[in-house]
Amino acid sequence: MTTAPPESRDRIYRSPMALIGGSLVLVIIGWLGIDAVVSGTGRTPWLALATLILVVPLVVAFTLRPAVFANHDRLRIRNPFRVIVVPWGEVEMLRSGYSNEVFVTSGAKYQLWAIPVSLRGRKKAARQTAQQNARQSSGRGSTRGLGLFGGGMQPDGFGGRTPVPEGPTRAETDKIIDELRELLEARGKAQTSQGEVTVRWAYEIVGPAVAGAVLLTILAALG
């Protein structure tokens, strides 16, 4: 009797800034909305309630919900309104431009909402790389012919040596895409990484948001 190999634990990727921002927005919306429901007069409580039913799911969808789960067998993408499960064998490529996207063998592409591209982070990484290169060039020039410092080390200004990072500095989200590409390269042809791409709509988000929109429309029509 053979037993299936245990499933590897997921690596979970989320946006810390989205989590913080979404939590703050929900606190503000909840405070104002509940106050309007409790203290409002006339149609105000109903309008506030309909707005809460519409807005809260949308805030959750775009801030707290997005996440990417990766293990040895598949990539699970939890976007605002859908959950996409892609076995590594179905991944064609991971592309990082102005957004991070995964392309599957059928030609479809899915955006990784939980791993937003930070142009500011890329610029910061480029500056750090330039500074590292400048320090390395300066260190090689000051020690040329002396044989005092080996490769990958530079003087620290206090008579010692500090390691110099190898390769260019990468922005945090680009590092995550590098990790996912390594998983794709290592597991893309594995037997347990084969299967079909599945897409499921997040009705727990869509349902309340639609209900809130319908209620607001009715209240607006009634004047």
Side-chain angles (χ1 to χ4, degrees):
M1 180 177 178
T2 59
T3 58
E7 185 176 352
S8 65
R9 297 182 62 180
D10 283 333
R11 303 181 189 180
I12 304 174
Y13 304 99
R14 309 183 76 175
S15 171
M17 294 305 298
L19 295 175
I20 296 171
S23 299
L24 291 175
V25 171
L26 285 176
V27 169
I28 295 172
I29 291 175
W31 174 41
L32 296 176
I34 293 174
D35 181 69
V37 170
V38 173
S39 305
T41 58
R43 297 170 59 247
T44 300
W46 288 104
L47 288 170
L49 180 60
T51 301
L52 284 174
I53 296 174
L54 170 62
V55 173
V56 168
L58 294 179
V59 173
V60 171
F62 286 98
T63 59
L64 306 185
R65 176 180 168 80
V68 172
F69 306 85
N71 63 24
H72 286 175
D73 298 330
R74 53 99 182 107
L75 185 67
R76 182 160 64 95
I77 306 163
R78 194 169 71 190
N79 280 346
F81 301 113
R82 296 188 297 178
V83 176
I84 305 103
V85 179
V86 187
W88 287 117
E90 290 296 311
V91 176
E92 184 72 26
M93 62 177 281
L94 288 154
R95 186 176 71 181
S96 181
Y98 290 105
S99 64
N100 290 313
E101 301 166 328
V102 56
F103 288 76
V104 300
T105 55
S106 66
K109 71 175 180 178
Y110 304 100
Q111 186 174 348
L112 306 179
W113 279 82
I115 311 175
V117 169
S118 173
L119 297 180
R120 180 180 179 183
R122 286 180 175 174
K123 291 179 180 178
K124 181 179 178 181
R127 288 197 301 269
Q128 291 176 346
T129 299
Q131 291 169 359
Q132 290 170 8
N133 292 337
R135 286 196 297 267
Q136 290 175 353
S137 298
S138 176
R140 284 193 297 267
S142 62
T143 61
R144 183 174 296 134
L146 298 179
L148 296 177
F149 301 101
M153 305 291 288
Q154 68 177 17
D156 60 5
F158 298 95
R161 292 178 292 175
T162 57
V164 177
E166 295 183 1
T169 302
R170 302 277 284 164
E172 193 61 36
T173 54
D174 290 335
K175 291 179 183 177
I176 294 174
I177 295 300
D178 290 341
E179 290 181 13
L180 295 178
R181 284 172 176 156
E182 289 175 1
L183 268 175
L184 171 60
E185 184 177 353
R187 301 292 302 172
K189 296 182 180 179
Q191 183 177 357
T192 56
S193 301
Q194 309 307 311
E196 296 183 355
V197 177
T198 61
V199 180
R200 180 182 70 83
W201 285 96
Y203 293 107
E204 66 275 16
I205 296 291
V206 176
V210 170
V214 170
L215 183 55
L216 271 178
T217 302
I218 294 174
L219 291 173
L222 292 177

